[in-house]
């Protein structure tokens, strides 16, 4: 992290000496550090309680009551019904497979990023995270365009081999779900493993090789165990996201698969009966899901903890050029690498390219032609009944909601991260886990809880931009916390003590020493959070009214229209905006976004 | 096992790390490779281990090129400065790790009872004095113990060559002195060809059969410790090895077997067969060869500018002939005081002429030996 | 310290205030009519026309269509809002099979010809709800629709039984009855033919034929026209939109589907809402329906486009389950269907 890059604030000792040593300014709250920090914590906690815990508890409570009194009946009904057992097991199973697939796809990329040098490496590394922030609807669209029975890939293979039936039944199957989840989450594995691997001293591996271990054994015995905390923490996070995944299971899975979240959605949202039986079962199921994902969050945070302990400062690992002549190009290990890259290009870049191609294509009775009309359509400020406003408005809304949500989430995340990093209390990890609960709650449950809360006094906010902004802030702030905690933990407290010994108040030390030092981490978290907000759909769809569309919502709307070009064009805009955000982030010098 | 480097050149990007280096380590010999940091000594070690490939030249083990042989089949033992003990394995597992890859009957594990032999590990742990610590994790060991484990681990598969990269730099001075003797003892008893990389010239002199002194990308001199110390081949070596007084002067005449050299206007005599009239030369006098207030062949008058107390020794800084000379004196000598005007004297045979460097390498940073 | 804490609070507060101001600015002045409708009505249907014309006739009134999903998702949204604290909706537009559920909650206002003069133009056979809570404005027949470029007439199944043949494996796209009224109707159609619980056996055999179950008609029809499968559950009138996609009558039947509009009890604009419903039934709007919604207008006097004489197919035997039967069994059927589909047995 950019230590002491701002000599004016950090490096120079003079202001402290002058202002504080010579003319000490008594502060009424000096020496009451803990109490002061406690007070500061009050507002973010209040915000979370009002806009997250209380609505969520209100929803989940339904699953634990019968006729107004506490009852485990619905929980018991779920756990004893073999259909729900099937759903719960399938949820875990598909999350497990998806995590494996994400590792299989993400690990080699982490290896390539760690060991090789190639043109535009920084930009490519920045762009690897883009899939993660895309809305599910865009991913589903890209997958359908590329992998559908009549998609580009199957069409290509059919014409290549003269087949009459599509050879790759990827869509509408578990394979499709797993692949789409891998598309989403492999970047997380890549990021976390890359970060751990880069910090791994190459001399461990060299020692093993000198002892006679082949590359395979070196990886198995030395590298893997040592990057394992990074891998496991990434895997735990991926598992949580796949466990909670909802639109992908529905759209890519083709409606034949049900997970806990799908079941909660249909019971709580779409299958209301006057007796509220489905509602209560759905709430109970949501509770079971939340408990499971919170357990995984706890594991994730533990892994993060051991990762932080293991962190060593070493010289950057040496890299070698990826492209080193023709003979090297044809080496068997390199051939394997090219094969992997081809496959990952297909899975990562393919769906996005398919969307781009589709956004530039127009079907005509005689075939089709290239066109820019979809772009001119989405950039017009004309009213569109489908959206209740102009498509351009949706783009602007996305940006302003994203900024608003980030503006709330940054102070929120900063304060929580600070407290977690400084907390030496035994229940710290539990507190951390509870704070991360929004991350462990599916956006559909969260959105529905907020819909209910915002539809009743005192916060009648349904349909307002505020509701959307609050929902986004709740969803994205955990990522800011996660980006900041490691930075704050690695911050040498001696620097702060030094500042204080020079006469700076606790506050001044915080503002002038700690904050500038974590600035890059903060920016990284903020940009990432902003991009996540751009991609959020479930909650926005539920809370926003026409005229308050965002880009993903507009994509969703356009998809229900006959013309396919508009949703693709809107998706391309979204991909470009988030890609730009990450490239700018990379330029700012922040590359190790902690997750 | 003899190890030889033939005309090795290695570049990293545009920087030249090694230029046309040739080096030979004899069977069972301990060669210390010493030089300032960044001079390329670790690169030589990594080339021998097989982690780097030379851009030009050859590396031979017993006259056989090993250039195509991957590190794991070169049969080298390796100890790094930070030891790189596998943190997820205990002491026993660390030491035994290399044994699981010993499959060739031609290279049986050290006195072992077969592959992965427990007794072999035990013997090694005995050898390095770590008996009873088999089940400790690396993090639970002191730095010195970690160093011993690293050594035992490197020795376990019975390597033909032992490569030590700054093996003692992470330790405190006392421990370092003890361990370097132990390493030498173990090396002797196993008769293993060893390359010992260090930046500490004192350590190099103490431990090595022969010392190779490196400046950036070049080997300046290879020879037994005494030779390197007393007869440095270059000014660089003279500055880098030991504490010395290097004084520039001009040859003004010849007197039998001695040259007459003018240093700061004073004439001194040095024994040397070479040297042209009016040639600039650098003269080396070791501090222990300088005698204060005693009769000698060469006498200069000077003023004491400072006295360092170092236990059994006094280091006396004397300003004379326009330069500052350091002399070593007995600590029991109480007659010396700052500001005293004294005679500094040295024998003609104690003066070495150092050829001026053709290249002008950056002045080596005389790193303190205590770190 | 207090000052800084206050600062943070102020920052968060001002963002929230800005957001609220942002929404209020959006809301604007004047009275507003909020219509909850399924997404295809705004995507394809005459929503834009209705909004413009109705606003022209009622100055100062703003019509807002809320169409965040397929019809049954909109129904769920309405109910959820009503049970938690109220809905902004004045009007709900949906399918007749949801009338029983809506009635159980009692959220819609019963209507009469006195209140909606144009109601008298509606064909009597469409008025299945005696309380008139959901006034029919269009109707049609659920059938299969096939891609005539992909399937030749002799390759087509003619009965439900033939549809389960292995040659049709993965050739059909359907809608989820939990979220889509079209899917809902298709489920009822199978129950009509195979009875309860016989329909479950039929679905067991039908599963291999189904390529995917989409949340709504829009998504399903899009995949169909993108060439993902040659058959989809849709309407008998689809050929009027694109002659390539022709209706396919199983068992010579079509399942009648009726879409209607009702007034939400909590509305603040009962007069305006009634005017809206009346306008919906006016010939002006009704005659727009065939071309945009590709459905038959409910107004029996509305003129059909010329080509509808040939392209619009009326099945020889239109079928429908009684709403009483639906009221009694709907929840159980949906539950049984969902369990069957997810587990495949």
């Amino acid at each position: 992290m950019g230590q002491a890059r701002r000599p004016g604030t950090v490096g120079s000792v003079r202001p402290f000496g002058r202002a504080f040593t010579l003319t000490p300014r008594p502060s009424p709250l000096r020496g009451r550090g803990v109490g002061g920090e406690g007070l500061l914590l009050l507002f973010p906690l209040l915000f979370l309680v009002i806009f997250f815990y209380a609505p969520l508890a209100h929803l989940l409570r339904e699953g634990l009551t019968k006729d107004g009194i506490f009852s485990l009946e619905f929980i018991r009904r779920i756990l004893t019904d073999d259909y729900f057992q099937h759903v719960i097991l399938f949820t875990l199973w598909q999350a497990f497979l998806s995590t494996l697939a994400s590792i299989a796809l993400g690990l080699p990329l982490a290896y390539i990023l760690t060991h090789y040098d190639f043109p535009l490496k920084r930009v490519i590394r920045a762009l690897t995270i883009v899939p993660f922030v895309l809305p599910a609807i865009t991913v589903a669209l890209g997958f359908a365009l590329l992998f559908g029975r009549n998609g580009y890939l199957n069409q290509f293979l059919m014409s290549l081999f003269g087949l009459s039936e599509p050879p790759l039944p990827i869509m509408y199957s578990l394979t499709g779900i797993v692949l789409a989840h891998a598309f989403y989450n492999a970047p997380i594995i890549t990021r976390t493993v890359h970060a751990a691997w880069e910090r791994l001293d190459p001399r461990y591996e060299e020692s093993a090789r000198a002892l006679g271990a082949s590359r395979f054994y070196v990886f198995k015995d030395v590298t893997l165990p040592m990057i394992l905390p990074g891998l496991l923490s990434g895997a735990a996070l991926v598992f949580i996201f796949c466990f909670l995944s909802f639109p992908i299971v529905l759209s890519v899975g083709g409606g034949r698969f049900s997970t806990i979240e799908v079941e909660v959605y249909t019971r709580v949202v779409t299958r209301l009966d006057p007796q509220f039986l489905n509602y209560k079962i759905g709430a109970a199921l949501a509770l079971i899901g939340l408990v499971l994902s919170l357990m995984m969050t706890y594991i994730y945070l533990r892994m993060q903890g051991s990762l932080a302990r293991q962190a060593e400062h070493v010289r950057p690992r040496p890299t070698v050029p990826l492209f080193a002549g023709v003979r090297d190009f044809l080496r068997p290990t390199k051939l394997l690498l090219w094969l992997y890259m081809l496959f990952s290009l297909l899975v990562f870049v393919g769906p996005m390219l398919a969307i781009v191609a589709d956004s530039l294509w127009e079907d005509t009775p005689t075939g089709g032609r290239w066109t820019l009309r979809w772009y001119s359509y989405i950039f017009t400020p004309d009213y569109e009944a489908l959206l209740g406003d102009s498509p351009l408005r949706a783009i602007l809304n996305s940006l302003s909601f994203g900024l608003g949500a980030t503006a709330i989430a940054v102070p929120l995340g900063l304060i929580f991260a600070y407290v977690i990093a400084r907390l030496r209390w035994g229940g710290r990890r539990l507190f951390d886990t509870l704070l991360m609960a929004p991350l462990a709650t599916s956006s559909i449950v969260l959105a529905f809880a907020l819909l209910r809360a915002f539809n009743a006094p005192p916060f009648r906010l349904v349909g307002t931009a505020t509701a959307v902004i609050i929902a986004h802030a709740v969803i994205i702030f955990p990522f800011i916390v996660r980006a900041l905690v490691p930075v704050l933990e690695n911050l040498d407290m001696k620097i702060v003590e030094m500042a204080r010994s020079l006469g700076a108040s606790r506050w001044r030390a915080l503002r002038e020493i700690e904050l500038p030092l974590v600035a890059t981490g903060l920016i990284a978290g903020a940009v990432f959070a902003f991009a996540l907000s751009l991609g959020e759909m479930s909650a926005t769809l539920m809370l926003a009214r026409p005229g308050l569309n965002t880009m993903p919502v507009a994509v969703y709307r356009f998809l229900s229209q006959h013309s396919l070009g508009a949703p693709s064009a809107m998706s391309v805009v979204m991909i470009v905006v988030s890609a730009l955000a990450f490239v700018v982030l990379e330029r700012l010098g922040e590359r190790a976004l902690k997750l | 096992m003899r190890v030889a480097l033939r005309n090795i050149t290695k570049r990293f990007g545009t920087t030249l790390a090694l230029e046309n280096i040739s080096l030979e380590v004899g069977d069972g010999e301990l060669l210390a490779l010493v030089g300032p940091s960044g001079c390329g000594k670790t690169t030589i070690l990594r080339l021998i281990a097989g982690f780097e490939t030379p851009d030009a030249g050859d590396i031979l083990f017993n006259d056989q090129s090993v250039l195509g042989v991957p590190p794991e089949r070169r049969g080298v033992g390796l100890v790094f400065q930070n030891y790189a003990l596998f943190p997820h394995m205990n002491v026993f597992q660390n030491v035994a790790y290399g044994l699981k890859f010993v499959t060739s009957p031609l290279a049986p594990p050290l006195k072992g009872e077969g592959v992965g032999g427990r007794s072999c590990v035990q013997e090694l742990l005995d050898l390095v004095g770590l008996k009873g610590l088999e089940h400790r994790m690396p993090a639970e060991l002191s730095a010195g113990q970690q160093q011993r484990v690293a050594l035992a681990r490197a020795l376990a598969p019975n390597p033909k060559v032992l490569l030590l990269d700054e093996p003692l730099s992470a330790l405190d001075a006392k421990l370092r002195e003890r361990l370097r003797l132990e390493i030498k003892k173990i090396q002797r008893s196993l008769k293993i060809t060893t390359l010992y990389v260090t930046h500490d010239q004192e350590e190099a002199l103490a431990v090595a059969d022969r010392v190779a002194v490196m400046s950036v990308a070049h080997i300046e001199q290879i020879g037994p410790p005494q030779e390197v110390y007393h007869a440095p081949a270059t000014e660089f070596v003279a500055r880098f090895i030991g504490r010395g007084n290097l004084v520039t002067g001009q040859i003004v005449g010849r007197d039998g077997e001695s040259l007459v050299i003018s240093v700061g206007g004073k004439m001194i005599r040095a024994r040397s067969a070479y040297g042209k009239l009016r040639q600039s030369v650098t003269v080396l006098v070791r501090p222990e060869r300088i005698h204060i207030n005693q009769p000698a062949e060469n006498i200069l008058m000077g003023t004491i500018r400072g006295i360092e107390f170092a236990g059994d020794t006094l280091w006396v800084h004397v300003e004379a002939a326009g330069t500052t000379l350091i002399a070593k004196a007995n600590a029991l000598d109480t007659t010396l005081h700052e500001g005293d005007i004294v005679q500094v004297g040295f024998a003609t045979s104690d003066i070495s002429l150092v050829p001026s460097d053709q290249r002008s390498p950056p002045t080596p940073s005389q790193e303190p030996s205590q770190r | 310290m207090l000052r800084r804490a206050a600062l943070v609070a102020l920052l968060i507060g001002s963002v929230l205030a800005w957001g609220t101001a942002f929404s209020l600015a959006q809301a604007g002045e004047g009275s507003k009519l909020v219509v909850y409708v399924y997404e295809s009505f705004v995507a394809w249907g005459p929503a834009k026309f209705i909004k413009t014309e109705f606003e022209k006739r009622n100055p100062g009134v703003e019509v807002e269509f809320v169409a965040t999903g397929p019809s049954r998702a909109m129904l769920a949204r309405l109910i959820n809002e009503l049970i938690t604290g109220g809905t902004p909706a004045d009007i709900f537009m949906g399918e007749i099979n949801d009338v029983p559920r809506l009635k159980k909650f009692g959220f819609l206002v019963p209507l009469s010809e006195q209140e909606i003069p144009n109601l008298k133009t509606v064909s009597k056979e469409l008025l299945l709800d005696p309380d008139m809570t959901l006034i029919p404005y269009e109707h049609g027949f659920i059938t299969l629709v096939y891609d005539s470029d992909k399937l030749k007439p002799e390759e087509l199944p003619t009965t439900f039984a033939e549809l389960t043949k292995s040659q049709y494996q993965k050739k059909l796209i359907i809608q989820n009855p939990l979220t889509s009224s079209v899917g809902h109707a298709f489920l009822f159609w199978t129950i009509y033919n195979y009875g309860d619980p016989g329909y479950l056996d039929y679905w067991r055999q039908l599963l291999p034929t189904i390529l995917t179950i989409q949340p709504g008609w829009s998504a399903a029809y899009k995949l169909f026209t993108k060439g993902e499968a040659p058959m989809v559950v849709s309407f008998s009138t689809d050929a009027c939109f694109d002659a390539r996609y022709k209706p396919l009558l199983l068992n010579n039947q079509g399942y009648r589907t009726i879409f209607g509009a009702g007034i939400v009890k909590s509305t603040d604009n009962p007069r305006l809402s009634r005017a809206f419903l009346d306008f919906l039934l006016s010939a002006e709007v009704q005659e727009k329906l065939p071309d945009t919604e590709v459905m038959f207008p409910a107004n029996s006097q509305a003129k059909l486009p010329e080509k509808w004489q040939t392209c619009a197919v009326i099945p020889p035997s239109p079928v429908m389950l009684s709403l009483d039967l639906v009221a009694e069994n709907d929840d159980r059927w949906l539950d049984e269907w969902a369990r069957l589909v997810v587990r495949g047995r």
Side-chain angles (χ1 to χ4, degrees), chain C residues 171-304:
Chain C
K171 293 278 193 282
L172 176 66
I173 299 172
I174 68 166
Q175 299 82 2
N176 192 330
L178 296 172
T179 48
S180 156
S181 59
V182 177
H184 205 195
F186 183 69
L187 173 63
F188 290 167
W189 192 8
T190 60
I191 295 171
Y192 179 91
N193 281 297
Y194 288 89
D196 179 6
Y199 81 102
L200 288 171
D201 277 330
Y202 177 72
W203 274 89
R204 240 168 243 134
Q205 293 159 33
L206 184 64
L207 285 179
T209 305
I210 298 167
L211 173 66
T212 170
I213 302 165
Q214 289 294 306
W217 174 85
S218 299
Y221 203 72
K222 168 151 297 151
L223 287 180
F224 168 67
T225 54
K226 273 306 241 182
E228 287 289 286
M231 293 186 287
V232 66
V233 175
S234 187
F235 300 90
S236 69
T237 42
D238 279 5
C240 298
F241 185 78
D242 186 339
R244 175 178 166 184
Y245 306 116
K246 297 187 192 308
L248 163 57
L249 306 184
L250 295 177
N251 299 6
N252 273 326
Q253 297 168 349
Y255 196 87
R256 188 186 283 282
T257 177
I258 300 165
F259 285 86
I263 298 173
V264 181
K265 260 187 185 157
S266 61
T267 179
D268 299 327
N269 299 311
R271 190 199 56 78
L272 209 56
S273 299
R274 288 196 292 269
F276 183 85
L277 257 53
D278 201 46
F279 180 62
L280 198 59
L281 292 177
S282 69
E284 199 180 349
V285 174
Q286 289 284 303
E287 284 171 8
K288 284 250 174 301
L289 292 171
D291 282 339
T292 54
E293 281 277 281
V294 203
M295 296 280 273
F296 293 103
N299 185 334
S300 53
Q301 294 149 15
K303 278 203 299 286
L304 285 173

Side-chain angles (χ1 to χ4, degrees), chain B residues 156-190:
Chain B
N158 196 11
K160 295 169 282 183
V161 180
L162 184 61
L163 304 173
L164 307 170
D165 187 6
E166 307 269 8
L168 303 177
S169 319
L171 306 174
D172 64 71
K174 281 275 187 303
L175 192 57
R176 208 159 53 215
E177 277 173 31
R178 210 173 73 213
L179 276 175
R180 74 188 184 205
L181 281 177
E182 283 184 31
I183 289 178
K184 186 161 183 169
K185 217 171 78 193
I186 291 168
Q187 188 265 342
R188 283 279 151 78
S189 70
L190 298 176

Side-chain angles (χ1 to χ4, degrees), chain B residues 63-129:
Chain B
D63 303 324
Q64 287 240 300
S65 174
V66 292
L67 280 190
V69 182
E72 63 269 26
R73 295 221 304 273
R74 290 199 181 181
V76 297
L78 195 54
V79 176
F80 282 119
Q81 178 177 6
N82 70 343
Y83 320 131
L85 295 180
F86 306 134
H88 53 295
M89 299 182 194
N90 66 23
V91 168
F92 184 89
Q93 288 164 329
N94 261 288
V95 175
Y97 186 75
L99 295 175
K100 71 191 237 189
F101 305 106
V102 179
T103 49
S104 160
L106 294 174
L110 185 81
K111 295 178 201 160
E113 308 170 330
V115 175
R118 173 164 289 269
S119 70
C120 168
V121 176
Q122 297 294 3
E123 254 174 65
L124 273 167
L125 288 176
D126 277 1
L127 187 69
V128 298

Side-chain angles (χ1 to χ4, degrees), chain A residues 201 204 206 209-211 221, chain B residues 46 72 76 82 88 97 100:
Chain A
D201 191 333
Y204 288 113
E206 286 169 0
R209 285 203 82 186
L211 289 169
D221 294 338
Chain B
R46 294 174 60 80
E72 63 269 26
V76 297
N82 70 343
H88 53 295
Y97 186 75
K100 71 191 237 189

Side-chain angles (χ1 to χ4, degrees), chain C residues 24-25 28 42 77 80 111 122 127 163-164 194 244 251 294 300 345:
Chain C
L24 290 178
V42 288
R77 179 176 184 140
N80 268 311
L111 296 165
V122 174
L127 299 174
L163 189 60
T164 62
Y194 288 89
R244 175 178 166 184
N251 299 6
V294 203
S300 53
R345 59 190 157 86

Side-chain angles (χ1 to χ4, degrees), chain A residues 29 36 150 269 272 559 561, chain C residues 1 76 101 222 226 228 339:
Chain A
L29 283 160
N150 203 29
V269 183
L272 281 175
L559 274 175
Q561 223 181 7
Chain C
M1 181 71 220
R101 187 177 301 265
K222 168 151 297 151
K226 273 306 241 182
E228 287 289 286
R339 284 168 185 251

Side-chain angles (χ1 to χ4, degrees), chain A residues 317-389:
Chain A
R317 284 174 74 99
T319 50
V320 295
L322 186 58
F323 310 103
V326 180
R327 277 188 55 200
D328 179 73
F329 187 88
L330 295 171
R331 268 174 40 209
T333 46
K334 277 285 167 75
L335 284 178
L336 259 176
L337 216 62
W338 306 136
L339 212 65
Y340 159 77
M341 281 168 133
L342 203 69
F343 183 70
S344 61
L345 225 58
L346 184 72
V347 174
F348 285 125
V349 185
M352 292 195 255
L353 272 186
I355 292 173
V356 172
D358 189 66
S359 73
L360 295 168
W361 187 256
E362 179 181 20
D363 282 327
T364 58
T366 53
R369 60 159 181 257
W370 298 105
T371 178
L372 279 175
R373 60 173 289 205
W374 308 119
Y375 288 96
S376 67
Y377 171 67
I378 62 168
F379 283 114
T380 46
D382 291 345
Y383 175 85
E384 172 57 61
L386 188 64
L387 300 180
D389 204 337

